[in-house]
Amino acid sequence: MAKINLGNKLPYLRYFYGQLGYRVFVVMLTSLLVGILDGFGLAMFLPLLETVGSESPDSENLGNFSFLLDYLDSSGIGVSVMSILLSMMVFFILKGIAKFAESMYKVRVQQHFMKSIRYQSINGLEGYKYTSFISADAGRIQNTLTGETSRMKTAFHSFSMTIQGGALVFIYALFAFNANPEFTFFVAIGGGVTNLIFRGIYNRTKKLSRAYTTESNNFEGIIIQMVLFFKYLKATGEIGTYGRKLKRSVDQIQKDLLKFGFYDSVLKASREPLIVTVVVLIIGVQVTYFDQPMSGIVLSLLFFYRALTQLMVLQTNWNRFLETSGSLENMSALLKDLEDDKEVFGNEKFEKLNDDIRIEHLSFAYGEENVIEDINLTIKKNSTVAFVGESGSGKTTLANVIAGLLPPTGGNVFVNQISLIDVDTGAYRNRIGYITQDPAIFTDTIFNNVTLWSEKTEENVARFRRAIKDASLDNFIQNLGEGENTEIGNNGINLSGGQKQRISIARELYKNVDILILDEATSALDSATELEIKESIEALQGSYTIIMVAHRLSTIKSSDMVIVLQDGKLSAKGTYDSLVEENPEFCRMASLQQL
């Protein structure tokens, strides 16, 4: 995981600047404006005290703020209790307006930040290499794109509050310096002492944040597997064992959250006592050693109290930010991984399959393990080709290379006489329909499952009707109460296996594809349903280039060509009947299936 040095705030400022640009500095400037208006409003207490105590206030007692009296006098307003009060009111009204503008702008910036992060995550996942995805930590991806994204909102809010606190500390310290320079020294001392006190908490918090993020990723991974293998765990009585594993992860997460709460409580509880202690010390020093006028002391204390309060706010928000810093690191690292493993498409345009698919000396390996080796094959346009062989013979891998999911480690695939490496793979895949043993069924209506949320225009509805008719779904849909608008439940729980497969076939036909890849599409179905799906597929032969990966040889009898794979190599090819007669391995497979 890429780590950012938490020792200072600049790396994170650079990060947020990278996400938000000039908006980071606008947030800072609006905070400064609020502080300046508040400072001038408070500064009006000084001439107010002087005016109340004397009919003719002494400008020398006002120090660097004597210009306030000079302005009131030269503007014709005059120096009086009422004019000073009205001036003070104007400053605080302006401060209120500026505060409203600052808060609203910060909300908009936060929304922009969250949208930017989510869009980056989605775009990164869209472009992620399939080869990288299959070896990635699914729990980490899910947790980062869901739970961690929500924590990024907290991270931005806490960091922006830290920036605001820093801006206000600067403004109030500046005003305190103008009221009484000695106070600047005490501000620096007070800030340094409190920072030393809280440094230990900061270090523990950032370490805890990383541990919390790691455990959250682990928890999400366990949850995914529990849902995926729920049937097995339930049937074998092991779901309780797995539940205990989950609970141990929950317990660890709760321990981390309790520690977060402890550190945050320490900061909250110690803030006010520290402020009061420092203020009391300053009053004692001012009265005892500097013999300052009471008006100057009171105004300086106002500024100093505000500065120290903001310093405490800054420290508290910085610690809260550190609580989420692990999430920020995790998100940054994932986005970097997605970017580093981004697919690179070729420049050759692909509109449709106009020619054969030619495979020359094709090999593919996972690491050093060869899965397919030196395959030479031509798949004619609109022909039906079946890949058969024992488990692990490379059937699905070969189909995935043809689909552009896996890049060859040797040899090449040509479509329309162009190397697949040079083709715009995204456009090529748009012409591919992919149907697996466990079809992708979304928790939505039948119409949305088939059309993938297309608008219900007249043209799209007509395409939908053609697709369900070609997939032999029309009679089934007509018998449903709400027809195509029927909700099909979580992952198609209300559908049979055959109905799911027909929906997945209809979806690919709706897309107007050239190539249909069926990867064990009927292996999980009963014999009667398998026969129905087989008939639906056979009705499509001649209109599409169909590639079938099959264990059940009964589904491939009508194929134009059968490819027998053995240990990743092309063992034999021919029609079904010719292979039964001429190839012992294929004949043995057919005999074992009582064909």
Side-chain angles (χ1 to χ4, degrees):
M1 180 186 294
K3 293 184 180 179
I4 305 172
N5 177 21
L6 297 180
N8 60 73
K9 302 174 182 65
L10 286 179
Y12 282 112
L13 183 60
R14 285 196 294 270
Y15 172 79
F16 285 112
Y17 177 76
Q19 295 289 338
L20 299 169
Y22 70 91
R23 297 174 184 85
V24 172
F25 299 109
V26 175
V27 169
M28 192 180 298
L29 289 173
T30 54
S31 297
L32 285 171
L33 179 60
V34 170
I36 289 169
L37 292 171
D38 184 60
F40 278 120
L42 290 174
M44 296 306 295
F45 275 108
L46 194 57
L48 179 65
L49 290 172
E50 288 289 317
T51 304
V52 171
S54 169
E55 292 185 3
S56 103
D58 187 355
S59 295
E60 292 183 2
N61 290 335
L62 302 181
N64 291 329
F65 288 101
S66 60
F67 73 91
L68 294 171
L69 289 183
D70 296 338
Y71 172 76
L72 291 175
D73 194 33
S74 62
S75 64
I77 297 174
V79 179
S80 65
V81 172
M82 186 55 65
S83 65
I84 294 171
L85 287 173
L86 287 173
S87 299
M88 184 186 300
M89 182 181 71
V90 168
F91 277 121
F92 278 103
I93 289 173
L94 291 174
K95 175 199 170 184
I97 295 171
K99 185 67 179 176
F100 173 79
E102 176 206 35
S103 298
M104 285 304 300
Y105 185 75
K106 195 184 294 181
V107 169
R108 293 179 66 86
V109 171
Q110 181 172 276
Q111 289 176 340
H112 176 85
F113 173 68
M114 294 305 297
K115 180 179 177 179
S116 174
I117 286 294
R118 289 189 169 111
Y119 272 35
Q120 285 181 60
S121 303
I122 294 168
N123 292 337
L125 199 56
E126 284 178 4
Y128 201 32
K129 289 179 183 175
Y130 179 70
T131 48
S132 300
F133 176 80
I134 57 180
S135 60
D137 182 349
R140 178 198 175 202
I141 292 176
Q142 177 163 317
N143 181 52
T144 304
L145 300 187
T146 54
E148 296 288 70
T149 302
S150 299
R151 281 168 61 83
M152 292 290 283
K153 181 179 180 181
T154 304
F156 172 78
H157 175 74
S158 299
F159 191 79
S160 64
M161 290 298 292
T162 301
I163 290 176
Q164 178 180 310
L168 291 175
V169 167
F170 172 77
I171 289 297
Y172 291 132
L174 190 63
F175 273 87
F177 178 83
N178 278 278
N180 194 320
E182 288 83 0
F183 269 74
T184 305
F185 173 76
F186 292 112
V187 169
I189 293 296
V193 170
T194 55
N195 188 61
L196 286 174
I197 291 172
F198 294 130
R199 182 172 294 176
I201 293 178
Y202 296 155
N203 290 335
R204 288 182 176 86
T205 300
K206 66 185 180 185
K207 289 178 183 177
L208 183 61
S209 181
R210 289 171 182 161
Y212 174 82
T213 296
T214 301
E215 191 59 44
S216 296
N217 289 343
N218 180 50
F219 177 77
E220 289 290 341
I222 300 172
I223 281 286
I224 289 172
Q225 293 177 74
M226 186 177 191
V227 173
L228 188 61
F229 303 124
F230 183 83
K231 182 179 179 180
Y232 166 77
L233 293 169
K234 196 76 171 175
T236 59
E238 296 297 336
I239 197 161
T241 303
Y242 206 84
R244 287 190 290 274
K245 178 179 175 67
L246 262 177
K247 289 171 186 174
R248 285 194 295 271
S249 181
V250 169
D251 289 343
Q252 185 57 53
I253 289 173
Q254 292 307 308
K255 286 178 183 177
D256 292 342
L257 290 174
L258 186 62
K259 289 179 182 178
F260 280 139
F262 172 76
Y263 296 144
D264 195 47
S265 297
V266 169
L267 289 174
K268 286 179 179 178
S270 59
R271 181 195 304 169
E272 190 171 20
L274 278 172
I275 293 174
V276 172
T277 301
V278 174
V279 166
V280 168
L281 289 173
I282 289 174
I283 292 175
V285 170
Q286 284 286 88
V287 171
T288 305
Y289 297 104
F290 295 102
D291 195 25
Q292 295 291 325
M294 194 59 197
S295 58
I297 291 176
V298 170
L299 184 60
S300 296
L301 285 173
L302 277 173
F303 288 135
F304 184 71
Y305 186 83
R306 286 287 180 104
L308 202 55
T309 300
Q310 289 302 320
L311 184 62
M312 296 296 107
V313 170
L314 182 154
Q315 291 169 330
T316 300
N317 279 290
W318 180 240
N319 195 66
R320 286 177 182 168
F321 171 74
L322 292 179
E323 291 177 6
T324 57
S325 61
S327 300
L328 192 148
E329 289 181 348
N330 192 30
M331 176 64 75
S332 300
L334 178 63
L335 292 178
K336 184 178 184 303
D337 289 346
L338 295 178
E339 182 63 29
D340 290 346
D341 289 331
K342 185 178 180 180
E343 274 190 298
V344 179
F345 296 157
N347 297 320
E348 294 289 337
K349 292 182 179 179
F350 187 93
E351 294 181 357
K352 62 181 302 183
L353 185 66
N354 297 315
D355 209 334
D356 300 339
I357 298 173
R358 195 172 80 254
I359 300 168
E360 294 185 355
H361 302 290
L362 182 69
S363 299
F364 180 83
Y366 287 106
E368 297 182 358
E369 182 182 352
N370 285 327
V371 181
I372 53 176
E373 187 176 352
D374 198 28
I375 302 288
N376 290 280
L377 177 66
T378 297
I379 300 174
K380 293 183 178 180
K381 181 186 175 184
N382 291 344
S383 67
T384 298
V385 176
F387 297 156
V388 300
E390 301 292 343
S391 295
S393 60
K395 304 183 298 296
T396 296
T397 300
L398 179 56
N400 287 338
V401 173
I402 295 172
L405 289 174
L406 301 175
T409 52
N412 218 332
V413 177
F414 295 88
V415 292
N416 294 344
Q417 305 299 321
I418 304 170
S419 170
L420 196 54
I421 297 171
D422 300 322
V423 168
D424 179 352
T425 317
Y428 170 66
R429 289 190 195 130
N430 285 336
R431 306 298 297 180
I432 294 176
Y434 203 114
I435 301 164
T436 62
Q437 174 182 338
D438 188 15
I441 301 296
F442 302 97
T443 307
D444 212 315
T445 64
I446 292 177
F447 182 85
N448 285 338
N449 263 275
V450 171
T451 67
L452 292 179
W453 305 280
S454 295
E455 238 183 297
K456 273 199 171 184
T457 62
E458 187 175 335
E459 180 187 351
N460 288 340
V461 170
R463 284 174 59 196
F464 170 77
R465 303 278 182 227
R466 287 196 300 271
I468 63 172
K469 185 175 185 301
D470 290 343
S472 303
L473 258 179
D474 44 351
N475 289 333
F476 164 69
I477 293 176
Q478 287 171 10
N479 292 327
L480 295 173
E482 296 183 47
E484 65 207 40
N485 297 316
T486 301
E487 294 279 347
I488 58 179
N490 184 31
N491 196 29
I493 194 171
N494 299 326
L495 303 176
S496 69
Q499 290 160 353
K500 288 181 183 180
Q501 285 293 25
R502 285 198 183 92
I503 286 176
S504 64
I505 292 172
R507 179 190 300 141
E508 305 313 318
L509 300 182
Y510 176 85
K511 288 164 53 182
N512 189 25
V513 299
D514 301 319
I515 304 167
L516 269 176
I517 297 177
L518 298 99
D519 188 0
E520 307 284 3
T522 61
S523 62
L525 304 178
D526 60 79
S527 298
T529 306
E530 179 189 29
L531 180 61
E532 292 174 1
I533 298 298
K534 176 176 173 287
E535 291 173 351
S536 297
I537 294 169
E538 287 176 351
L540 303 174
Q541 288 183 226
S543 300
Y544 302 90
T545 302
I546 300 176
I547 298 171
M548 303 175 66
V549 176
H551 274 301
R552 293 186 182 179
L553 302 186
S554 59
T555 61
I556 64 164
K557 283 186 175 183
S558 61
S559 299
D560 297 312
M561 181 168 56
V562 178
I563 306 298
V564 182
L565 295 174
Q566 189 172 15
D567 298 326
K569 297 180 180 180
L570 197 157
S571 173
K573 64 181 178 179
T575 64
Y576 180 90
D577 292 335
S578 67
L579 287 172
V580 168
E581 292 178 5
E582 300 170 7
N583 186 266
E585 175 63 21
F586 188 80
C587 185
R588 184 184 67 83
M589 291 167 60
S591 298
L592 289 173
Q593 296 184 28
Q594 298 181 349
L595 295 174

